[in-house]
Amino acid sequence: MTAATTELLDYDQVIAEFNPVMGLEVHVELGTETKMFCGCPTTFGADPNTQVCPVCLGMPGSLPVVNAKAIESAIRIGLALNCSIRPSSVFARKNYFYPDQPKNYQISQYDEPIAFDGYLDVVLPDGTPWRIDIERAHMEEDTGKSLHVGGATGRIQGADHSLLDYNRAGVPLIEIVTKPIEGAGERAPEVARAYVTALRDLLKALEVSDVRMDQGSLRCDANVSLMRKDATEFGTRSETKNVNSLKSVEVAVRYEMRRQAALLLSGGEVVQETRHFHETDGTTSAGRRKETAEDYRYFPEPDLPPVQPDSAWITELGTTLPEMPWVRRARIQQDWGVSDEVMRDLVNVGAIDLIIETVEAGASPEAARGWWVSFLAQQAKTREVELADLPISPAQVATIIGLVDEGKLTTKLAQQVATAVLDGEGEPEQIVADRGLEVVRDDSALQKAVDDALAANPDIAEKIRGGKVQAAGKIVGDVMKATRGQADPARVKELVIAACS
């Protein structure tokens, strides 16, 4: 059965019949300069198979050496998630045979992860607080990347052949695993999204990863199962793999709830399997049967000693934790004097941290809010990306706002500059120079444009002379058109009134 023909149950009926249970596994690529167990660089976008060595390719006789910076990042993440840090944790070999894993096993952590038993408090869009319990945060290495060629979907099914890029193999990962999330009911999809959003914000504040979901440095596996209302045991779960946007996390959970409910009510059974999420239509499709822990045949990695961080070092790392995003927001809210409702709306559209960074780069809070929640929010909608994924930085927005404040750009011209930045044309000031967009300040040039417009509209000029100042709008518009929008409308109006006096 294809995704297009999968039967789905009405969402209200799902909630009436079942209790959803979720488990979220978030993989975070650390922003280290080198890989987890070797010295290969981790630069994103390099030519395929140019950042590899005998260690990350699993060549016979090569030995791994753990990345100290990755251990530091793992501890800081664990502390920020209110986890306990294990005084002695070990690496294990997770055995599975797949082309993207050149060693045929992945070095990970199993029963003794470096961080365990924590929690993260999140806030839902309406302000409802929700605590997500954390089972563990463990270190591991990423796999390579497969490119399936010749098929219609980019999946292995129907492809003519596959290409393998091992640049990503061995990149340091932290996998953060929640305990079962129960009791969310109809709000389960938004709880999932709120959690991944809060986790992304936390990791960004820690500066341990660029958390670029579009580039795969933050990926979520969403486990979903359903329990009938009178049941006492969890249902069989599916695991939707590598969901790579905040919106998609919510969509994937909702879709799986509807799919599983329709299957169960029709007398079918949910298969424990991995599933692929399709961004194009928000559906999932079957991947492979999901193994159990026993199937992976975990055993201690013989080539790596236990990780035994000194307790004094752990305490010292705790002092390096930044102001948490939600604490920062509360402080900023008070400084800005905005209501809880306004602040919540800014958070819900993904704008608050962007606004804060724009203000820190020199813009006023009012101007920063105006740009991110209006023009740039519309651009994100048009381009079908999250606001934070727009290819424009808060510093660039602050520069554009500064050019407006200095009178070098009108708002309309500034929007042209912002659009050019979004289209990859360069930095704002360079775009202004290249396109010749700076506001015309030469009164003699403006006066000529005003005189020409008045001469072309003698009836309107007469009305202005007769005291109908509002009629000047037509002349101002003609001058703005003649100057390609580069005149200051206020100054043009002054010249028009003066010419008709």
Side-chain angles (χ1 to χ4, degrees):
M1 184 180 294
T2 66
T5 60
T6 297
E7 183 178 352
L8 301 176
L9 194 66
D10 180 77
Y11 192 71
D12 289 339
Q13 190 176 352
V14 176
I15 301 305
E17 298 282 348
F18 299 97
N19 292 320
V21 179
M22 298 184 296
L24 302 173
E25 303 170 11
V26 175
H27 297 79
V28 186
E29 280 191 356
L30 298 179
T32 55
E33 293 183 2
T34 57
K35 292 185 180 181
M36 190 70 188
F37 302 114
C38 67
C40 290
T42 58
T43 307
F44 180 82
D47 289 339
N49 298 310
T50 58
Q51 299 181 162
V52 294
C53 73
V55 175
C56 55
L57 289 177
M59 297 296 184
S62 60
L63 294 174
V65 177
V66 71
N67 186 321
K69 184 66 176 179
I71 294 176
E72 176 185 309
S73 296
I75 293 172
R76 294 180 73 238
I77 290 171
L79 293 173
L81 290 172
N82 305 289
C83 289
S84 298
I85 304 301
R86 195 177 299 277
S88 180
S89 63
V90 300
F91 286 101
R93 290 188 179 184
K94 179 181 180 181
N95 293 273
Y96 69 94
F97 302 99
Y98 205 71
D100 63 8
Q101 189 54 271
K103 295 191 293 286
N104 281 332
Y105 63 86
Q106 178 188 36
I107 300 179
S108 182
Q109 291 188 311
Y110 177 46
D111 55 346
E112 298 182 63
I114 192 167
F116 62 98
D117 196 19
Y119 64 87
L120 179 62
D121 290 325
V122 304
V123 179
L124 303 188
D126 64 353
T128 302
W130 201 282
R131 174 163 290 188
I132 305 295
D133 291 320
I134 305 297
E135 176 73 33
R136 56 196 280 140
H138 65 262
M139 298 180 286
E140 61 185 23
E141 59 180 338
D142 210 344
T143 61
K145 186 175 182 179
S146 301
L147 177 65
H148 305 298
V149 182
T153 65
R155 304 287 184 186
I156 193 169
Q157 294 86 355
D160 295 329
H161 62 280
S162 297
L163 301 175
L164 295 168
D165 179 6
Y166 288 122
N167 281 350
R168 197 177 66 182
V171 169
L173 280 183
I174 302 297
E175 182 175 352
I176 302 166
V177 182
T178 69
K179 294 181 179 179
I181 303 170
E182 303 178 68
E186 66 179 349
R187 309 198 72 174
E190 61 179 310
V191 167
R193 178 172 181 165
Y195 166 70
V196 179
T197 301
L199 186 57
R200 184 185 70 168
D201 292 346
L202 173 62
L203 295 166
K204 184 176 181 181
L206 290 171
E207 297 183 338
V208 294
S209 171
D210 63 12
V211 293
R212 288 286 301 272
M213 296 188 79
D214 60 317
Q215 293 183 357
S217 55
L218 183 70
R219 312 189 292 272
C220 178
D221 296 344
N223 293 271
V224 177
S225 66
L226 297 178
M227 300 172 60
R228 289 189 180 273
K229 292 292 185 177
D230 58 351
T232 58
E233 295 184 358
F234 294 161
T236 302
R237 64 184 172 90
S238 67
E239 181 182 11
T240 304
K241 300 286 290 183
N242 296 328
V243 185
N244 62 2
S245 80
L246 299 176
K247 179 181 178 181
S248 295
V249 170
E250 183 175 2
V251 172
V253 169
R254 182 181 292 266
Y255 180 87
E256 273 302 289
M257 289 171 61
R258 296 181 64 197
R259 182 189 70 84
Q260 291 184 23
L263 187 60
L264 291 170
L265 289 182
S266 66
E269 294 183 354
V270 175
V271 176
Q272 183 169 322
E273 63 184 357
T274 62
R275 295 185 67 84
H276 302 298
F277 180 73
H278 303 279
E279 295 280 352
T280 53
D281 59 6
T283 64
T284 69
S285 61
R288 59 180 171 83
R289 292 294 179 102
K290 180 62 177 175
E291 294 90 345
T292 64
E294 290 76 14
D295 293 322
Y296 288 120
R297 295 183 292 112
Y298 284 99
F299 65 86
E301 168 57 64
D303 294 328
L304 289 170
V307 176
Q308 298 175 324
D310 183 76
S311 59
W313 185 45
I314 296 174
T315 301
E316 180 185 347
L317 290 178
T319 66
T320 70
L321 299 182
E323 183 180 35
M324 293 296 102
W326 38 91
V327 176
R328 181 189 187 204
R329 290 166 189 166
R331 174 176 56 80
I332 291 294
Q333 179 182 356
Q334 185 174 12
D335 292 345
W336 291 355
V338 299
S339 68
D340 290 344
E341 183 178 1
V342 169
M343 197 68 174
R344 193 160 56 242
D345 288 343
L346 295 177
V347 172
N348 290 342
V349 298
I352 184 61
D353 287 332
L354 297 168
I355 295 170
I356 291 173
E357 291 177 32
T358 305
V359 172
E360 291 174 345
S364 70
E366 294 77 15
R369 290 205 304 271
W371 271 87
W372 283 108
V373 303
S374 57
F375 178 75
L376 291 171
Q378 183 58 48
Q379 288 290 314
K381 182 178 180 180
T382 300
R383 296 165 188 256
E384 298 182 339
V385 297
E386 299 285 346
L387 192 60
D389 293 333
L390 281 175
I392 188 169
S393 70
Q396 290 171 321
V397 175
T399 296
I400 294 171
I401 292 172
L403 292 172
V404 175
D405 292 343
E406 294 169 15
K408 294 181 179 180
L409 293 177
T410 63
T411 299
K412 187 173 181 180
L413 289 173
Q415 291 176 353
Q416 291 182 38
V417 173
T419 300
V421 173
L422 291 169
D423 291 339
E425 293 186 23
E427 294 298 315
E429 291 172 318
Q430 188 60 48
I431 291 169
V432 171
D434 291 345
R435 293 192 176 191
L437 294 177
E438 190 166 333
V439 168
V440 176
R441 290 293 174 190
D442 183 355
D443 271 5
S444 62
L446 292 179
Q447 188 64 61
K448 182 179 185 308
V450 168
D451 292 342
D452 289 345
L454 289 171
N457 298 276
D459 53 334
I460 294 178
E462 193 60 35
K463 289 180 181 179
I464 299 171
R465 293 188 185 98
K468 294 184 178 180
V469 177
Q470 64 271 24
K474 171 65 167 65
I475 304 301
V476 172
D478 286 353
V479 173
M480 295 301 295
K481 184 176 180 180
T483 59
R484 297 184 303 159
Q486 291 177 242
D488 179 355
R491 180 56 181 157
V492 172
K493 185 174 181 180
E494 291 174 0
L495 294 175
V496 172
I497 301 301
C500 294
S501 299

